[in-house]
Amino acid sequence: PNPITAAPAMAVPSKLLKPVSLTKVASRYLIHQDSLPKLPVPELRQTCQRYLAVLEPLVSDEELEHTRTLVADFMVPGGVGERLQKGLERRARKMDNWLSDWWLQSAYLEFRMPVVVYSSPGVVLPRAEFQDRQGQMRYAAKLIAGVLDFKTKIDNGTLPVEYMVGKPLCMNQYYQILSSCRIPGPKRDMVVNHSLGKAPPTHVTVVHNYQFFVLDVYNSDGTPLTVDQIYMQLEKIWNSSLQTNKEPIGILTSQHRNTWGKAYANLIKDKTNKESVRAIQKSIFIVCLDAPMPRASDEMYRSRVAVQMLHGGGSRWNSGNRWFDKTLQFIIGEDGSCGLIYEHAPAEGPPIMSLVDHVVEYTKKSEMVRSPMIPLPMPQKLRFNITPETKKDIEKAKQNMNILVQDLEMKVIVFSHFGKNVPKSYKMSPDAFIQIALQLAYFRMYHVCCSTYESASLRMFRLGRTDTIRSTSMDSLRFAQAMDDPTKTKVALLQKAVNAHRVYTDMAIRGQAIDRHLLGLKLQAIEDLTSMPEIFMDTSYAVALHYSLSTSQVSAKTDCVMCYGPVVPDGYGVCYNSMQEHINFSVSAFNSCAETNAAKLARGLEEALLDMRALLEQTPKAKL
Ligand code: COA
C-alpha cells in the first residue's frame, strides 16, 4: 500500500452513518478531527542547530561562520528568537494549527506567479483504450460517474481514515477538493468552497472548443445520473460546441495573478459574465474534452501528455480549454490521453491520488445497467460578452502562455529495472534510496550539490499540510563525491546517506523539521512589526531556500505520475510514483536556462539508480 494507507472505517456509533448520498454526517468527521494531535512548535535551539547542519554542504566555510554568529545572536537568552518563539507558542495554543493558514496564504494565495506550471500539478493517467470521440465521451461519462461515486463517500462520511506509519491522518483536504475554486484578487487570491454552503452544487462544468457548459449530474431525488445519461448529455454538449473559432476565455486564468485579478474585475462587471464565472466556480469539478494534440512517438507519449495536463500545449491547442483557477479539472483527449490538473491551494497530491485510484477502478468496471432514457434538458451553455478590453486581455494571456509553453521542458520516464522491491530487499527505505540517487545524478552533472526540497506530509496533525525534507546532507554529499572515486569504499557511505534521509523524513512527518518553523518565526516577526531578524536577511538563508531540486513522492495504486514545473529559474521539478517493480518519474526544467536539461537529469537518475543497485549487488550480504 501507499505510505498513506487506507484503514477500515473508524468504529463510530452506527446512528452516525447515514446511507443517503447527499446528506453530510459532519459529526463522524469531526470526532476524528478532534482526536488528532495539534502541530507542535519545535524547540528553538533544535531548529537553529539543525539549520546550521543543513547549511554545511550548501555554503562556503566563511558564509557558514557568518551565519553561525547570526544564529547565536538570534538564540541569545531573552533575545529576539525567544520572543518570537513565545509568540508562535501562543499562536499554537489559540489555533487548531499554527501553520496552516499562514502556509495557505504565503505559499499559495499571496504567490503571484501564474498557477500554470509554477504551482498547479498535473497527473498523467495510463492511456485509456479509445481512439475516437465516442470513446472519449464514453470515458468522460464513466469518469464523471466515478468521481460522483467517490463524492458519495465524502458526503456521507464513509471515506476510510488514512494512516501513515501507524498514525491516523487528517482528512480535511478531502473536503476541500470538490466544489471549490480559487478567485483572483489584485494583491492576493482566495479560495471558495461551495460544498459547505446551504445549497451544495449539483453540476459539473464541461468545456469543449473553449465553450463552457453546466451539466447537472443529479436527479431531483438526489441520485446521480447514470453513465448512459451522462454520455447522452455529453453528446448534446459536443454537438452544440462544434465551432472552433470561439474566444478562449479560460486562458485568462493562466495569467500572472495580479494581471488576472485586474482582468477578472473587468470581466465580471458584466452580469452575464459574472453568472457564467460563478457557475464554473461553483461546479463540483470541470471536465475538459480536449481537441487532438500533435502526435508523439511511443517514447515521447507520456511527456506529451504531461504538458497537455500541465498547460494544454499553448493557445493553438488546449490551453484555452481550461479554467485554471478550478481546484479539479479532468482532461480527456480523443486519442486515449487522460489525466488532470489541480489548483494546489486547497490540497496536496495524496488525496487527489486516492480519488484518481478510485476513479480509475471505477472506469474499469464493465458497463453499468442501462437505464431507460428519460429525456433530460439540454445542458446550459455559459455565455460571455467580450468587450474590446477583455479581448486585449485574452490576446496578452495567449502570448504569455505561448512563451511559458516554449520554455517548459518536461520529460516523463518509466524506470523499469526495479521499484520499491530492490531497496526493500536491502532493508533500505525506497524513498530515501531514490532521493540519494537524485543527489548522485545532480552531483554528477554539476560537481556540487544543491538545496533540495522533498515534501513531507504533516497530516498526522489536525489541518496539517507539508514540511520540507532536506535531502542534501553531508552524508549524501560524501556518498556522491565517493561514488566515482575508485579509491573510496562506497557502500557504507551509501547506507549512511540513505539512513540520514530516512531520519530526516521521520523528523519531518513528526513536525520537527526546520523549514516551516523558520517561516513561522519570520512571519511572527512581521506580525509583531519588529525589524526582520538578520538570519532571514542572510545569504545563507537565500541559498537554503533556492531549491534547485524541488521533489515529491506522490504514490498511487494506479500506474500514473504527477508532474510540475521547477520552483526556481535554474532548477528542476522532479516527481515520482514508485511502484513495486518500476518507478514513474517526471522531470521538468526551463529551456531558457542554459545550465539545466531535464532529459539529461532523467538519464542521470536512471544511471544513478542502476549504479547504486550494482554497488549493493557487488557487496557480499554479510558486509551490508
Ligand atoms: N527496509 C525495508 N522496507 C522499508 C524500509 C526499510 N528500511 N523503509 C521503508 N520501507 C518500506 C515501508 O514500510 C513501505 O512499505 P509499503 O510499500 O508496504 O508501504 C515502503 O518501503 C515505502 O517506504 P519509504 O520509501 O520509506 O517511503 P514512505 O512511503 O514512508 O514515504 C514520504 C515517505 C516522505 C513520501 C511520506 O512520508 C510522505 O510524507 N508522503 C506525502 C508527500 C506529499 O504530501 N507529497 C505531495 C506534495 S504535492
Side-chain angles (χ1 to χ4, degrees):
N2 291 338
I4 294 173
T5 49
M10 280 183 308
V12 286
S14 59
K15 66 178 168 44
L16 294 180
L17 294 173
K18 284 190 205 158
V20 187
S21 73
L22 283 171
T23 322
K24 203 168 252 172
V25 185
S27 31
R28 181 173 187 267
Y29 160 70
L30 291 176
I31 292 167
H32 167 66
Q33 289 298 111
D34 281 349
S35 72
L36 294 169
K38 279 183 158 194
L39 180 69
V41 179
E43 274 181 27
L44 184 64
R45 175 165 295 273
Q46 172 186 295
T47 294
C48 288
Q49 282 164 351
R50 285 178 177 170
Y51 173 52
L52 292 172
V54 153
L55 290 176
E56 216 182 319
L58 299 176
V59 301
S60 68
D61 291 348
E62 299 79 60
E63 267 171 327
L64 189 58
E65 217 27 64
H66 176 65
T67 305
R68 273 206 184 97
T69 55
L70 298 184
V71 168
D73 273 359
F74 185 68
M75 276 198 315
V76 86
V80 62
E82 274 190 6
R83 206 177 62 239
L84 296 175
Q85 175 78 1
K86 285 211 180 88
L88 270 191
E89 286 165 359
R90 259 197 312 278
R91 182 179 164 92
R93 279 193 296 277
K94 280 197 300 224
M95 302 180 80
D96 265 342
N97 185 312
W98 64 265
L99 171 66
S100 294
D101 192 50
W102 266 349
W103 182 246
L104 175 68
Q105 298 298 331
S106 61
Y108 301 111
L109 303 180
E110 289 166 8
F111 180 69
R112 306 319 286 160
M113 294 294 277
V115 288
V116 183
V117 173
Y118 297 103
S119 179
S120 299
V123 177
V124 180
L125 290 182
R127 189 175 196 156
E129 281 166 12
F130 61 80
Q131 288 290 341
D132 56 20
R133 84 176 182 87
Q134 262 75 25
Q136 181 184 15
M137 271 185 289
R138 190 91 221 145
Y139 186 87
K142 277 190 173 184
L143 183 142
I144 293 171
V147 182
L148 296 178
D149 192 56
F150 192 82
K151 182 175 183 296
T152 306
K153 287 179 196 288
I154 300 176
D155 288 339
N156 65 13
T158 51
L159 198 65
V161 169
E162 292 167 324
Y163 281 70
M164 188 167 68
V165 293
K167 297 272 194 327
L169 298 183
C170 173
M171 299 298 284
N172 175 62
Q173 290 182 25
Y174 283 97
Y175 294 83
Q176 312 302 332
I177 57 182
L178 296 174
S179 316
S180 62
C181 194
R182 183 162 168 157
I183 297 178
K187 294 250 162 58
R188 73 156 63 158
D189 297 356
M190 57 184 207
V191 175
V192 282
N193 184 344
H194 292 280
S195 66
L196 308 171
K198 282 218 174 75
T202 52
H203 68 280
V204 303
T205 303
V206 178
V207 48
H208 175 238
N209 280 337
Y210 311 152
Q211 296 153 71
F212 292 82
F213 292 82
V214 170
L215 168 58
D216 280 311
V217 284
Y218 288 97
N219 296 303
S220 50
D221 64 355
T223 54
L225 299 193
T226 63
V227 172
D228 287 329
Q229 286 175 312
I230 299 171
Y231 176 80
M232 298 290 283
Q233 294 300 78
L234 290 176
E235 277 271 353
K236 291 182 202 164
I237 289 176
W238 187 284
N239 290 327
S240 51
S241 53
L242 294 172
Q243 320 86 314
T244 52
N245 59 349
K246 294 286 168 179
E247 283 297 336
I249 186 90
I251 207 162
L252 289 173
T253 60
S254 70
Q255 277 281 46
H256 185 281
R257 302 307 295 176
N258 291 355
T259 314
W260 170 216
K262 268 194 225 137
Y264 178 81
N266 249 324
L267 182 73
I268 61 165
K269 276 185 197 148
D270 177 287
K271 191 164 166 281
T272 306
N273 294 350
K274 191 173 182 173
E275 280 166 10
S276 296
V277 167
R278 192 166 155 78
I280 298 172
Q281 290 167 341
K282 215 180 157 191
S283 59
I284 305 169
F285 56 93
I286 294 182
V287 174
C288 309
L289 300 174
D290 268 12
M293 297 278 289
R295 294 234 161 239
S297 63
D298 280 355
E299 201 225 327
M300 293 303 293
Y301 175 75
R302 281 188 180 80
S303 305
R304 205 275 284 144
V305 179
V307 293
Q308 181 180 358
M309 299 308 142
L310 267 190
H311 56 53
S315 65
R316 306 187 37 201
W317 306 100
N318 288 297
S319 298
N321 212 43
R322 308 278 184 272
W323 193 267
F324 288 106
D325 290 354
K326 190 71 188 163
T327 308
L328 256 182
Q329 299 191 83
F330 291 93
I331 299 162
I332 303 159
E334 250 181 64
D335 60 350
S337 54
C338 47
L340 65 92
I341 179 164
Y342 83 93
E343 200 290 299
H344 212 327
E348 266 68 58
I352 306 285
M353 285 309 210
S354 85
L355 168 66
V356 161
D357 282 340
H358 183 87
V359 170
V360 168
E361 275 312 302
Y362 194 93
T363 56
K364 282 186 198 151
K365 277 195 206 166
S366 55
E367 292 293 293
M368 326 287 145
V369 192
R370 289 187 178 264
S371 47
M373 282 297 164
I374 311 154
L376 292 166
M378 172 67 204
Q380 181 205 345
K381 184 174 190 162
L382 296 173
R383 308 264 160 210
F384 286 95
N385 296 320
I386 299 187
T387 60
E389 201 169 351
T390 297
K391 170 99 180 98
K392 242 198 250 155
D393 292 335
I394 292 175
E395 288 310 312
K396 194 77 203 143
K398 280 189 194 169
Q399 277 171 17
N400 286 341
M401 177 55 109
N402 294 340
I403 294 169
L404 189 55
V405 164
Q406 285 304 312
D407 200 15
L408 188 77
E409 182 196 0
M410 173 58 69
K411 184 80 187 157
V412 174
I413 55 165
V414 179
F415 177 78
S416 53
H417 302 272
F418 59 87
K420 288 195 269 194
N421 54 345
V422 163
K424 278 187 188 179
S425 72
Y426 289 98
K427 303 213 166 21
M428 289 178 171
S429 147
D431 184 66
F433 191 85
I434 294 168
Q435 286 289 330
I436 297 305
L438 201 46
Q439 289 296 310
L440 176 59
Y442 188 93
F443 185 84
R444 281 174 166 172
M445 257 175 101
Y446 298 99
H447 310 291
V448 286
C449 60
C450 68
S451 194
T452 306
Y453 181 114
E454 183 191 4
S455 28
S457 178
L458 287 178
R459 286 176 56 209
M460 272 188 206
F461 305 100
R462 199 181 308 159
L463 302 182
R465 296 291 302 257
T466 57
D467 206 327
T468 311
I469 303 166
R470 289 185 166 269
S471 313
T472 310
S473 62
M474 282 314 288
D475 291 315
S476 72
L477 179 62
R478 282 190 198 109
F479 165 67
Q481 284 166 334
M483 190 61 184
D484 298 322
D485 180 344
T487 66
K488 294 270 170 59
T489 36
K490 305 163 178 77
V491 78
L493 293 174
L494 170 61
Q495 283 171 315
K496 227 171 151 197
V498 167
N499 193 39
H501 186 84
R502 187 62 229 185
V503 168
Y504 203 117
T505 301
D506 283 329
M507 184 174 105
I509 60 177
R510 286 176 173 78
Q512 299 295 328
I514 63 168
D515 280 79
R516 301 299 183 269
H517 187 200
L518 289 172
L519 175 75
L521 292 164
K522 186 175 161 191
L523 294 177
Q524 187 66 44
I526 294 172
E527 206 153 282
D528 291 354
L529 298 172
T530 44
S531 59
M532 188 51 69
E534 294 236 20
I535 56 162
F536 299 122
M537 324 265 271
D538 180 26
T539 320
S540 295
Y541 191 59
V543 171
L545 292 185
H546 190 90
Y547 293 114
S548 298
L549 283 173
S550 164
T551 78
S552 187
Q553 169 171 185
V554 184
S555 354
K557 294 193 187 101
T558 306
D559 193 8
C560 59
V561 69
M562 188 170 269
C563 52
Y564 47 75
V567 296
V568 292
D570 56 349
Y572 295 93
V574 181
C575 195
Y576 48 95
N577 175 12
S578 60
M579 317 279 288
Q580 272 322 310
E581 300 195 349
H582 71 278
I583 312 169
N584 300 327
F585 284 102
S586 67
V587 183
S588 65
F590 289 118
N591 289 317
S592 53
C593 174
E595 283 79 42
T596 52
N597 183 327
K600 195 169 167 198
L601 184 70
R603 271 197 309 277
L605 182 56
E606 294 196 276
E607 273 166 30
L609 285 163
L610 290 172
D611 290 352
M612 282 162 55
R613 178 178 69 176
L615 176 64
L616 291 168
E617 281 174 347
Q618 285 154 16
T619 313
K621 279 255 159 136
K623 293 212 166 161
L624 288 171

